[in-house]
Amino acid sequence: MVGRAARVGHVGGRVLRAGICLGVLTCAAFAAAPARSEGLPEALAKAYQTNPQLNAERARQRGTDENVPQALSGYRPQIIASLSAGLQAVRNLLPDNTMQSATLKPWTIGVTVTQTLFNGFKTANSVRVAELQVSSGREALRNVGQGVLLDAVTAYTNVLANQALVEAQRANVAFLRETLGITQRRLNAGDVTPTDTAQAEARLNRGLADLNAAEVALAVSQATYTQVIGNPPTLLRPAETVDRFNPRSRDDATALAFREHPAVVAAGFDVDVASTSIHVAESSLMPTITLQGNASRSKQSDPSLTTFGTDQASITGLLTQPIYDGGLAASQTRQAKEVAAQSRLVLDQVRNQARTAAVGAWVANEGAKVAVTASESEVRAATVALAGVQKEAAGGQRTTVDVLNSQQDLILAKARLIGAQRDRIIASYTLLSAIGRLDVKTLSLNTPDYLPEVHYHQVRDAWHGLRTPSGR
């Protein structure tokens, strides 16, 4: 019995030393990583440049920018050219009962210029609404950017964690397979019972199932990484937290989220949009003053007067005052007021959500710190316990199952530590996102920052042109 336990303890010692060597080799591999290795900042920069969701949101914002020149068109003259031509048969009955007939080919060409002088401040308020929509859209774009960067952090750390879990499970399977082989040889020698062999075989099958599950999770995380980052993961370097950018207290976190989170700022702009839209609706009840200029030339217009052409030019001022439109404008005004009230309630809701998210992110980040510390202590204790069980097994006081159980406890502790370290990284970035500061500028990423105001100024005062600033 003593010899049997001693050999089991010897196997456990070799596995423990192999685990230590694996950790050393992993650190050495990271230290000697070639230039093709990819760190979290590089992955975030790629996601910021190539992520389809973020690029689609940028395109949406460029479309929103066009609302401003569309609203500004109300200040500009409207010019319409017209051309008509046809074939006309004419037959006139003269006083002496004679008939006069002719076949004419009349045509008319003209141009009309209309300039609105006053429309109840509808144009001015429409421009204001469009500009506020642009501001709201920029904050929505910033919020989507935060979400994409956080998704990239999650995808990156999941790949790292799952790679570490696969390596741990492979080491565990190697240990279990070696243990089973030794137990079978000892069974053939009559040193152990079939029960020991069955227990070792059961643990090996469990280890193989755990390894398979870890490999499946790694494959899924690698696919997610490719989707979010834009390329398959290569040699990833360990990630670091961003605690240096995070607030020092929970009150500071909630205050920053209340003021600076892009969802809150966007909701504030939406309130202004809804309030200004009330004035746009009210403008339908006010008078409209327009000035219209017209010039035209026509040929073969009136054969009875023996005229073959007419030139006309006119300038006309027009004042219109709605009296009753069936209640349409009044209903639109009431509707706009209700929408404005709704937007104020939505702003309160978004602020509460941002505050709650900030509190949750703060607590999760602090909890992740505790979890990492506890997991590290658990791994150290499990390592000491395994060494103790090995020594006791060498003295005949422990069995094969005891060593297997102790090794399983250590593997589970390492898995929890890997998960806690992953959660620690994600929690720090989640807190930065909750306060509205997860962006390229704060992280100092090596990529140009997308500036939506560039496109806005390119199209704001454009009077014509069908091509976009990018040439499409």
Side-chain angles (χ1 to χ4, degrees):
M1 179 68 182
V2 174
R4 177 181 65 185
R7 276 176 284 186
V8 173
H10 179 65
V11 173
R14 280 187 291 176
V15 172
L16 177 61
R17 289 192 294 273
I20 296 174
C21 292
L22 177 62
V24 173
L25 290 175
T26 302
C27 295
F30 283 132
R36 62 184 179 87
S37 65
E38 187 171 58
L40 181 55
E42 290 83 359
L44 293 179
K46 287 183 180 179
Y48 186 77
Q49 294 169 353
T50 63
N51 186 268
Q53 179 186 1
L54 186 54
N55 286 330
E57 189 67 16
R58 290 166 179 166
R60 180 207 58 78
Q61 178 60 26
R62 291 193 294 270
T64 302
D65 291 341
E66 295 291 349
N67 290 339
V68 177
Q70 291 172 18
L72 286 171
S73 66
Y75 287 124
R76 299 164 186 163
Q78 308 296 315
I79 303 175
I80 299 176
S82 61
L83 172 65
S84 64
L87 187 64
Q88 181 179 8
V90 178
R91 186 176 65 176
N92 296 328
L93 178 62
L94 301 180
D96 57 357
N97 290 326
T98 60
M99 302 290 294
Q100 183 185 55
S101 62
T103 301
L104 307 177
K105 298 178 180 179
W107 58 268
T108 302
I109 186 172
V111 60
T112 302
V113 181
T114 304
Q115 175 65 59
T116 300
L117 302 180
F118 180 76
N119 59 358
F121 305 106
K122 181 177 182 178
T123 299
N125 289 317
S126 297
V127 171
R128 177 62 176 161
V129 166
E131 290 175 339
L132 291 169
Q133 288 173 339
V134 169
S135 298
S136 176
R138 289 178 184 174
E139 295 302 320
L141 173 60
R142 191 160 67 93
N143 197 28
V144 171
Q146 285 201 145
V148 168
L149 291 178
L150 187 57
D151 289 344
V153 171
T154 303
Y156 187 96
T157 53
N158 280 341
V159 172
L160 276 180
N162 289 328
Q163 286 175 343
L165 285 173
V166 167
E167 293 302 321
Q169 293 298 340
R170 285 174 180 170
N172 185 48
V173 168
F175 164 74
L176 296 173
R177 185 173 283 116
E178 184 175 0
T179 301
L180 177 60
I182 293 174
T183 306
Q184 287 175 338
R185 289 194 296 270
R186 294 172 60 204
L187 175 64
N188 296 334
D191 194 20
V192 297
T193 66
T195 302
D196 294 293
T197 305
Q199 290 171 335
E201 184 178 359
R203 290 298 180 90
L204 175 59
N205 289 326
R206 180 195 298 181
L208 290 172
D210 292 340
L211 174 59
N212 178 70
E215 290 174 340
V216 170
L218 175 59
V220 172
S221 64
Q222 288 173 337
T224 304
Y225 182 99
T226 304
Q227 174 187 345
V228 176
I229 307 299
N231 60 268
T234 55
L235 181 57
L236 305 184
R237 299 194 297 271
E240 297 181 355
T241 64
V242 287
D243 288 340
R244 61 190 182 278
F245 302 127
N246 282 324
R248 299 300 178 185
S249 67
R250 185 168 71 177
D251 291 339
D252 290 341
T254 55
L256 288 172
F258 192 85
R259 296 194 313 268
E260 298 184 11
H261 195 278
V264 174
V265 180
F269 283 122
D270 290 341
V271 171
D272 295 335
V273 169
S275 300
T276 309
S277 297
I278 297 174
H279 302 302
V280 175
E282 290 174 340
S283 65
S284 299
L285 300 172
M286 301 181 71
T288 301
I289 302 175
T290 58
L291 184 65
Q292 186 176 88
N294 181 276
S296 64
R297 166 170 290 186
S298 60
K299 291 295 185 179
Q300 295 183 351
S301 58
D302 192 349
S304 63
L305 299 178
T306 65
T307 59
F308 295 94
T310 302
D311 294 331
Q312 291 182 346
S314 64
I315 297 179
T316 306
L318 178 64
L319 170 64
T320 60
Q321 171 61 57
I323 302 299
Y324 182 68
D325 61 352
L328 175 62
S331 176
Q332 291 174 339
T333 301
R334 295 193 304 269
Q335 183 183 48
K337 291 179 179 179
E338 294 296 343
V339 172
Q342 177 198 15
S343 64
R344 294 187 186 96
L345 295 173
V346 170
L347 174 59
D348 293 337
Q349 178 184 3
V350 172
R351 283 173 173 169
N352 291 332
Q353 291 173 344
R355 185 187 296 110
T356 302
V359 172
W362 172 268
V363 173
N365 191 46
E366 294 300 310
K369 297 177 184 178
V370 176
V372 169
T373 302
S375 298
E376 290 173 344
S377 299
E378 182 184 8
V379 169
R380 287 193 297 268
T383 303
V384 173
L386 177 59
V389 170
Q390 291 168 357
K391 291 180 181 179
E392 293 173 359
Q397 298 176 350
R398 295 282 185 170
T399 64
T400 302
V401 175
D402 294 328
V403 177
L404 290 173
N405 288 339
S406 184
Q407 170 66 15
Q408 184 69 17
D409 290 340
L410 179 58
I411 290 296
L412 294 176
K414 288 181 178 180
R416 282 189 286 270
L417 176 58
I418 292 171
Q421 291 172 336
R422 175 199 59 198
D423 295 341
R424 174 76 177 89
I425 300 297
I426 296 175
S428 67
Y429 278 89
T430 301
L431 178 57
L432 190 62
S433 174
I435 64 175
R437 293 186 177 180
L438 182 56
D439 51 42
V440 171
K441 184 177 180 181
T442 300
L443 299 177
S444 299
L445 299 181
N446 186 23
T447 179
D449 193 2
Y450 181 81
L451 302 176
E453 57 269 19
V454 172
H455 178 269
Y456 170 79
H457 290 296
Q458 288 174 334
V459 301
R460 184 184 190 279
D461 297 316
W463 282 54
H464 59 84
L466 300 179
R467 290 188 177 273
T468 64
S470 62
R472 293 192 302 273

